[in-house]
Amino acid sequence: MVSIQDSSPSFFENAQNIPVDAIFQVQKDFLADSDPKKVNLGPGAYRDENGKPWILPSVQMATTLVANCGHEYLPIAGSQVLREEAVKLVFNGTKLYSEGRIASCQALSGTGALYLAGSVLRKVDPTPKAVYITNPTWSNHDLLFSSLGFDVKYLPYYKDKTFDFEGYMSGLVTAPAGSIIILHSCAHNPTGCDPSKDEWKKIASVIQERHLFPIFDSAYLGFNSGSVNEDAWAIKYFVDELGLEASICLSFAKSMGLYGERTGLVTFVTKSPSQVQTMNSILENGQRATVSTPPRYGAEIAAAVLSTPEILEQWGKDLITMSSRIRSMREKLYEELVRLETPGDWSHIIKQTGMFGFTGISPAQINHLRAKHHIYMADTSRISIAGLNDSNFEYVAAAINDAARNIY
Ligand code: LMR
């Protein structure tokens, strides 16, 4: 029995319970399910053709190289090699790269990079600002930017199973000057619908005209198409072709399979090289106040991958392995749904790109898939295509077919 000696009111009297994070709850529910047929299409984590986590061959090679890296602190801004190599990876060949107009700081994967970017922007201009995110988007966007005190607003993004370009533009043109716009560089999470190059150009021109600040959430560079250069096309168009300032938030969780290592990088592209040192100092200050110094092991691995030519070459092959397996699973799921004559048009599954498929099935169908077939997915109807493999795609298609025919 607990004995309470202090009769003063609790400091936590007004504390309110916060619902658990939806996608991590899906993962927990999946793990608790003992059915052997269960399928996890929830969190975006790559699985190999046997449904197992995949340690990339390039990462295996790098791990041997860094086995004795020790446990000392990294500098506050993180591994110098990682910063230089990651910046080179994304910006090599651009004017801003040769002019040295890029501030950078290692960050705790994509979330940490976005958080640090937001906190730096608050510091450089504390006047209240709106952050525009897409509807729908990755659920953490709203949480992290509202935690930083920004007014989070939504832009329409998805209509008739595709990118709602008109809806998006009609919202974008109303954003007040100085607002921050969160862009998914590629493989939009959760819809898998990216703007075309022509649409990107129109988005960029509104951002330029209205003096809006773009933050690129770049969690999937290289993972989407198999080529970092191809996946970074929109970033380069904004910062190199148009010369805009921007923040690019990188994560190596998906592209190197370093999920638990929290390895990422935040960058700011500045107008002039003389601003880089100031922006680096603000990044360092923000880092010190939050994580102090970033984790070492993942940074050493990523730095070794990027800086060792033969490992870099292997990484290129690994990106192709992952992105092509995902593409082939999209096709197999789609073909099976068609073969079963599943009611509805499923062609969006093969038109989308990246790790996720936005199925568009109803909440009742999602519940049915989980309760009857032990298939787990996000409550937005997003499935992680990486959870499909040759042993389960027919089972999943049959279950979707059952839900589409019998549950409304
Ligand atoms: C996802 O969207 O499922 C992943 O990026 C995992 C996460 O952190 O939400």
Side-chain angles (χ1 to χ4, degrees), residues 125-188:
D125 180 2
T127 47
K129 277 199 197 65
V131 169
Y132 286 78
I133 61 178
T134 62
N135 183 19
T137 192
W138 179 47
S139 59
N140 226 10
H141 281 161
D142 192 335
L143 179 62
L144 79 88
F145 287 108
S146 42
S147 305
L148 281 164
F150 287 105
D151 181 16
V152 173
K153 293 183 183 299
Y154 282 83
L155 294 171
Y157 193 84
Y158 189 71
K159 196 174 155 195
D160 300 332
K161 298 185 176 167
T162 187
F163 172 43
D164 179 9
F165 177 64
E166 275 77 37
Y168 186 81
M169 293 301 267
S170 67
L172 192 64
V173 295
T174 66
S179 301
I180 296 161
I181 312 295
I182 309 301
L183 302 163
H184 302 226
S185 313
C186 63
H188 182 269

Side-chain angles (χ1 to χ4, degrees), residues 4-228:
I4 299 173
Q5 288 160 348
D6 179 9
S7 58
S8 58
S10 165
F11 283 99
F12 312 124
E13 222 133 79
N14 296 324
Q16 309 240 335
N17 190 56
I18 298 175
V20 291
D21 182 84
I23 198 69
F24 276 81
Q25 186 63 41
V26 171
Q27 174 75 354
K28 205 168 154 190
D29 294 345
F30 169 79
L31 292 174
D33 187 334
S34 56
D35 194 284
K37 295 187 300 302
K38 67 179 179 175
V39 181
N40 190 2
L41 306 179
Y46 183 78
R47 296 290 176 258
D48 68 8
E49 60 282 2
N50 301 311
K52 299 274 181 266
W54 195 52
I55 300 175
L56 277 58
S58 55
V59 166
Q60 264 166 6
M61 290 160 84
T63 330
T64 2
L65 273 193
V66 306
N68 296 321
C69 68
H71 303 285
E72 293 299 300
Y73 288 128
L74 281 180
I76 294 172
S79 152
Q80 185 63 26
V81 180
L82 176 68
R83 289 170 65 200
E84 285 171 9
E85 292 295 334
V87 161
K88 183 159 103 190
L89 176 77
V90 178
F91 300 103
N92 199 10
T94 63
K95 290 187 282 296
L96 60 131
Y97 182 70
S98 51
E99 290 165 10
R101 290 193 282 114
I102 307 156
S104 70
C105 186
Q106 191 184 320
L108 296 181
S109 209
T111 302
L114 290 164
Y115 196 87
L116 199 45
S119 70
V120 163
L121 290 173
R122 280 201 70 86
K123 198 160 259 180
V124 296
D125 180 2
T127 47
K129 277 199 197 65
V131 169
Y132 286 78
I133 61 178
T134 62
N135 183 19
T137 192
W138 179 47
S139 59
N140 226 10
H141 281 161
D142 192 335
L143 179 62
L144 79 88
F145 287 108
S146 42
S147 305
L148 281 164
F150 287 105
D151 181 16
V152 173
K153 293 183 183 299
Y154 282 83
L155 294 171
Y157 193 84
Y158 189 71
K159 196 174 155 195
D160 300 332
K161 298 185 176 167
T162 187
F163 172 43
D164 179 9
F165 177 64
E166 275 77 37
Y168 186 81
M169 293 301 267
S170 67
L172 192 64
V173 295
T174 66
S179 301
I180 296 161
I181 312 295
I182 309 301
L183 302 163
H184 302 226
S185 313
C186 63
H188 182 269
N189 179 2
T191 67
C193 300
D194 290 337
S196 66
K197 288 185 178 167
D198 196 45
E199 287 167 341
W200 270 123
K201 289 182 182 173
K202 292 183 173 129
I203 293 169
S205 101
V206 173
I207 287 181
Q208 182 169 35
E209 273 159 31
R210 300 193 63 77
H211 196 56
L212 308 173
F213 187 84
I215 296 185
F216 283 93
D217 181 342
S218 307
Y220 296 92
L221 294 188
F223 189 92
N224 187 38
S225 67
S227 149
V228 173

